[in-house]
Amino acid sequence: MKVVFMGTPDFSVPVLAKILEAGHQVGCVVTQPDKAKNRGKKIQFTPVKELAAEHGIKVLQPEKIKQDTEVLQTLKDYAPDIIVVVAYGQIIQKEILDLPKYGCVNVHASLLPKLRGASPIQHAILQGEEETGVTIMQMDVGLDTGDMLSKASLVIGDRNCQQLHDDLAELGAKLLVETLPRIEAGNISPEKQDDSLSSYAGMISKQDGKIDFHKSPVEIQRQIRAFDPWPGAFCNYGDVVMKIWSAEPVTEKTSKAPGTIICVSDSGVDTACGDGQVLRITEIQMPGKKRVSVKDYLRGNKIEIDSLFE
């Protein structure tokens, strides 16, 4: 098939790679503009642009695709059979959605209609879902509301966000290349989404990582996993911000106020949570330092019993 690929971050890369591996003709890639990153403010290609450049594929990077008539004309001139969209990062206008023979399809990282929106991976963990997956969806003008073409699921287990992200990206890539021939052959029956079963996963902000120790240990552990690597779950310890990268509920009970440190050992920092429950923190990071186990941190530092995480 003649394909136009639209995507930007790491999640998009395995899908583009699989499309190329399967022998489809990718005429061009549309991705977000390059940005300056890190302290040196060096301009970096988007991950999708890097892969496209390796394969000599034409790359388009409109600031605002809705206003870019040159990009629209380029797409019309190429006349793709299908446009594949994976975490592109801009709203695509109806004129583009209607342009290809088979329309535009999206690889979405949830089992639609659950978790429409920008952060389905994080919210699947936050909500304690036992499984999640990917959906290949026929795009329309709504937000992740189009007809579903195919699905694949996996058990979340104890994965953090990065691990789940990587596994879903590979699952989505595999599902997409299995679905494209079925689209071309016309042997797919699109399934409408039941809006009454839908939920929304909005954008994640840095402040979402702030831990509220009035919550249960299970909820806090999910928060830690959901926000690893970004924005990271964190709390205040004295006058510094401590990031918490690993923790587990324990069976002990306490009458101490939520956030109170009740025990410190090589096993971790036992901390009071909501309803007298206890969370054992096992991996932390202080400002400007690396992630370390509590055991390693305690070799040269102290965490005081009866002090507070806030």
PDB file of all heavy atoms in Angstrom, residues 46-59:
ATOM      1  N   THR A  46      12.872  14.743  15.869  1.00  0.00           N
ATOM      2  CA  THR A  46      11.921  13.869  16.544  1.00  0.00           C
ATOM      3  C   THR A  46      12.332  12.421  16.287  1.00  0.00           C
ATOM      4  O   THR A  46      12.998  12.125  15.279  1.00  0.00           O
ATOM      5  CB  THR A  46      10.482  14.083  16.028  1.00  0.00           C
ATOM      6  OG1 THR A  46      10.374  13.554  14.695  1.00  0.00           O
ATOM      7  CG2 THR A  46      10.093  15.555  16.036  1.00  0.00           C
ATOM      8  N   PRO A  47      11.969  11.486  17.169  1.00  0.00           N
ATOM      9  CA  PRO A  47      12.328  10.080  16.939  1.00  0.00           C
ATOM     10  C   PRO A  47      11.855   9.548  15.592  1.00  0.00           C
ATOM     11  O   PRO A  47      12.571   8.781  14.935  1.00  0.00           O
ATOM     12  CB  PRO A  47      11.642   9.358  18.111  1.00  0.00           C
ATOM     13  CG  PRO A  47      11.630  10.374  19.204  1.00  0.00           C
ATOM     14  CD  PRO A  47      11.364  11.678  18.510  1.00  0.00           C
ATOM     15  N   VAL A  48      10.660   9.954  15.170  1.00  0.00           N
ATOM     16  CA  VAL A  48      10.144   9.497  13.872  1.00  0.00           C
ATOM     17  C   VAL A  48      10.971  10.072  12.722  1.00  0.00           C
ATOM     18  O   VAL A  48      11.265   9.381  11.740  1.00  0.00           O
ATOM     19  CB  VAL A  48       8.652   9.861  13.729  1.00  0.00           C
ATOM     20  CG1 VAL A  48       8.206   9.803  12.275  1.00  0.00           C
ATOM     21  CG2 VAL A  48       7.802   8.926  14.573  1.00  0.00           C
ATOM     22  N   LYS A  49      11.370  11.327  12.840  1.00  0.00           N
ATOM     23  CA  LYS A  49      12.202  11.933  11.783  1.00  0.00           C
ATOM     24  C   LYS A  49      13.539  11.209  11.672  1.00  0.00           C
ATOM     25  O   LYS A  49      14.060  11.014  10.565  1.00  0.00           O
ATOM     26  CB  LYS A  49      12.432  13.411  12.072  1.00  0.00           C
ATOM     27  CG  LYS A  49      13.252  14.121  10.997  1.00  0.00           C
ATOM     28  CD  LYS A  49      13.392  15.594  11.287  1.00  0.00           C
ATOM     29  CE  LYS A  49      14.240  16.297  10.239  1.00  0.00           C
ATOM     30  NZ  LYS A  49      14.367  17.751  10.506  1.00  0.00           N
ATOM     31  N   GLU A  50      14.115  10.810  12.807  1.00  0.00           N
ATOM     32  CA  GLU A  50      15.386  10.088  12.780  1.00  0.00           C
ATOM     33  C   GLU A  50      15.265   8.795  11.968  1.00  0.00           C
ATOM     34  O   GLU A  50      16.132   8.494  11.131  1.00  0.00           O
ATOM     35  CB  GLU A  50      15.837   9.771  14.209  1.00  0.00           C
ATOM     36  CG  GLU A  50      16.317  10.985  14.974  1.00  0.00           C
ATOM     37  CD  GLU A  50      16.835  10.620  16.349  1.00  0.00           C
ATOM     38  OE1 GLU A  50      16.755   9.429  16.728  1.00  0.00           O
ATOM     39  OE2 GLU A  50      17.331  11.521  17.060  1.00  0.00           O
ATOM     40  N   LEU A  51      14.194   8.043  12.199  1.00  0.00           N
ATOM     41  CA  LEU A  51      14.010   6.790  11.460  1.00  0.00           C
ATOM     42  C   LEU A  51      13.740   7.065   9.988  1.00  0.00           C
ATOM     43  O   LEU A  51      14.269   6.371   9.106  1.00  0.00           O
ATOM     44  CB  LEU A  51      12.863   5.978  12.070  1.00  0.00           C
ATOM     45  CG  LEU A  51      12.566   4.641  11.396  1.00  0.00           C
ATOM     46  CD1 LEU A  51      13.797   3.726  11.432  1.00  0.00           C
ATOM     47  CD2 LEU A  51      11.376   3.943  12.058  1.00  0.00           C
ATOM     48  N   ALA A  52      12.923   8.077   9.714  1.00  0.00           N
ATOM     49  CA  ALA A  52      12.624   8.415   8.316  1.00  0.00           C
ATOM     50  C   ALA A  52      13.903   8.806   7.568  1.00  0.00           C
ATOM     51  O   ALA A  52      14.117   8.411   6.419  1.00  0.00           O
ATOM     52  CB  ALA A  52      11.600   9.541   8.271  1.00  0.00           C
ATOM     53  N   ALA A  53      14.765   9.579   8.240  1.00  0.00           N
ATOM     54  CA  ALA A  53      16.014  10.012   7.609  1.00  0.00           C
ATOM     55  C   ALA A  53      16.915   8.822   7.288  1.00  0.00           C
ATOM     56  O   ALA A  53      17.589   8.790   6.247  1.00  0.00           O
ATOM     57  CB  ALA A  53      16.736  11.006   8.513  1.00  0.00           C
ATOM     58  N   GLU A  54      16.920   7.835   8.174  1.00  0.00           N
ATOM     59  CA  GLU A  54      17.729   6.629   7.944  1.00  0.00           C
ATOM     60  C   GLU A  54      17.294   5.902   6.668  1.00  0.00           C
ATOM     61  O   GLU A  54      18.107   5.251   6.010  1.00  0.00           O
ATOM     62  CB  GLU A  54      17.611   5.676   9.139  1.00  0.00           C
ATOM     63  CG  GLU A  54      18.305   6.159  10.396  1.00  0.00           C
ATOM     64  CD  GLU A  54      18.035   5.240  11.568  1.00  0.00           C
ATOM     65  OE1 GLU A  54      17.512   4.119  11.357  1.00  0.00           O
ATOM     66  OE2 GLU A  54      18.337   5.637  12.712  1.00  0.00           O
ATOM     67  N   HIS A  55      16.010   6.024   6.329  1.00  0.00           N
ATOM     68  CA  HIS A  55      15.476   5.323   5.163  1.00  0.00           C
ATOM     69  C   HIS A  55      15.283   6.245   3.962  1.00  0.00           C
ATOM     70  O   HIS A  55      14.705   5.831   2.946  1.00  0.00           O
ATOM     71  CB  HIS A  55      14.139   4.666   5.534  1.00  0.00           C
ATOM     72  CG  HIS A  55      14.284   3.490   6.456  1.00  0.00           C
ATOM     73  ND1 HIS A  55      14.430   2.200   6.007  1.00  0.00           N
ATOM     74  CD2 HIS A  55      14.332   3.415   7.814  1.00  0.00           C
ATOM     75  CE1 HIS A  55      14.542   1.377   7.037  1.00  0.00           C
ATOM     76  NE2 HIS A  55      14.490   2.088   8.145  1.00  0.00           N
ATOM     77  N   GLY A  56      15.755   7.476   4.076  1.00  0.00           N
ATOM     78  CA  GLY A  56      15.650   8.403   2.964  1.00  0.00           C
ATOM     79  C   GLY A  56      14.235   8.820   2.620  1.00  0.00           C
ATOM     80  O   GLY A  56      13.936   9.125   1.456  1.00  0.00           O
ATOM     81  N   ILE A  57      13.357   8.850   3.611  1.00  0.00           N
ATOM     82  CA  ILE A  57      11.950   9.202   3.386  1.00  0.00           C
ATOM     83  C   ILE A  57      11.759  10.710   3.555  1.00  0.00           C
ATOM     84  O   ILE A  57      12.295  11.312   4.496  1.00  0.00           O
ATOM     85  CB  ILE A  57      11.034   8.444   4.372  1.00  0.00           C
ATOM     86  CG1 ILE A  57      11.207   6.925   4.199  1.00  0.00           C
ATOM     87  CG2 ILE A  57       9.576   8.846   4.183  1.00  0.00           C
ATOM     88  CD1 ILE A  57      10.524   6.116   5.295  1.00  0.00           C
ATOM     89  N   LYS A  58      11.009  11.297   2.674  1.00  0.00           N
ATOM     90  CA  LYS A  58      10.692  12.728   2.752  1.00  0.00           C
ATOM     91  C   LYS A  58       9.983  13.029   4.063  1.00  0.00           C
ATOM     92  O   LYS A  58       9.065  12.309   4.459  1.00  0.00           O
ATOM     93  CB  LYS A  58       9.807  13.123   1.570  1.00  0.00           C
ATOM     94  CG  LYS A  58       9.418  14.603   1.516  1.00  0.00           C
ATOM     95  CD  LYS A  58       8.527  14.857   0.325  1.00  0.00           C
ATOM     96  CE  LYS A  58       8.115  16.327   0.215  1.00  0.00           C
ATOM     97  NZ  LYS A  58       9.271  17.197  -0.101  1.00  0.00           N
ATOM     98  N   VAL A  59      10.403  14.113   4.737  1.00  0.00           N
ATOM     99  CA  VAL A  59       9.837  14.478   6.036  1.00  0.00           C
ATOM    100  C   VAL A  59       9.201  15.863   5.944  1.00  0.00           C
ATOM    101  O   VAL A  59       9.823  16.821   5.471  1.00  0.00           O
ATOM    102  CB  VAL A  59      10.915  14.479   7.142  1.00  0.00           C
ATOM    103  CG1 VAL A  59      10.336  14.958   8.470  1.00  0.00           C
ATOM    104  CG2 VAL A  59      11.522  13.082   7.300  1.00  0.00           C
TER     105      VAL A  59
END
